[in-house]
Amino acid sequence: MTAPLAHQHPCTVRVFTQRFSATPLGARLARHLALNQLHGWGIPHGTDVSDAAAVLVAELAANAVTHGRVPDRDFELRLALTPAVLRIEVSDTRAERRPPTSGDVPPPSALAESGRGLVLVETLADRWTVLSRAPIGKTIQAELDLPHRPQVPTQDAN
């Protein structure tokens, strides 16, 4: 006896991947292009999701440039959008310098001039993790759960 097939809704996954120079300019460009891509996918500028994604991309790209930089090597930004989740991944080629994992980020001292980036990631992302990257490096993956948006069926214009 076989189980009846469950009705599955169609799922479109949109993906954007781009490499950037491991410089402050590359980090700023990553944030700008990410926001433009999200806007093109229907997540308008100024929304909660867009604003959270802007901070996440900015912090992860800045960390890749500051802590993950290897001379003459780029960092990579990857966005993946499903109906339920926006996944942001920033990869660099420095494997030996890994940040603390989710839940283990120490709070910065009150007078510290740095150390708040991963605190922001921890606060804004619904989930985040550090992954090994083949052939070398690491990827920081952060996810934002999207608010439920009812799918509006498209109608043919006659």
Side-chain angles (χ1 to χ4, degrees):
M1 181 174 206
T2 60
L5 296 176
H7 176 70
Q8 294 184 341
H9 297 284
C11 177
T12 299
V13 177
R14 294 180 169 104
V15 177
F16 170 83
T17 305
Q18 181 69 47
R19 287 188 175 174
F20 298 92
S21 64
T23 63
L25 178 60
R28 284 192 303 274
L29 185 57
R31 184 178 63 85
H32 287 294
L33 287 180
L35 291 178
N36 285 335
Q37 186 63 55
L38 293 178
H39 188 79
W41 286 343
I43 299 174
H45 298 289
T47 60
D48 289 344
V49 172
S50 178
D51 289 347
V55 173
L56 290 171
V57 170
E59 289 301 330
L60 295 177
N63 283 351
V65 167
T66 304
H67 305 294
R69 185 175 185 280
V70 173
D72 300 323
R73 299 281 177 96
D74 297 337
F75 74 92
E76 183 177 273
L77 169 67
R78 182 176 186 272
L79 305 174
L81 179 67
T82 71
V85 173
L86 170 63
R87 180 175 296 131
I88 299 166
E89 297 177 353
V90 175
S91 302
D92 63 57
T93 55
R94 190 165 220 173
E96 72 277 7
R97 294 194 66 186
R98 294 175 73 90
T101 58
S102 177
D104 292 332
V105 177
S109 67
L111 299 176
E113 293 184 16
S114 63
R116 289 176 176 76
L118 287 180
V119 173
L120 288 172
V121 172
E122 182 100 347
T123 301
L124 292 173
D126 292 298
R127 290 163 300 286
W128 73 278
T129 190
V130 181
L131 304 168
S132 294
R133 181 176 182 245
I136 188 170
K138 65 186 171 297
T139 297
I140 312 298
Q141 182 184 82
E143 292 183 342
L144 293 172
D145 292 333
L146 300 176
H148 177 70
R149 296 183 295 185
Q151 298 294 324
V152 179
T154 59
Q155 297 177 348
D156 294 330
N158 290 333

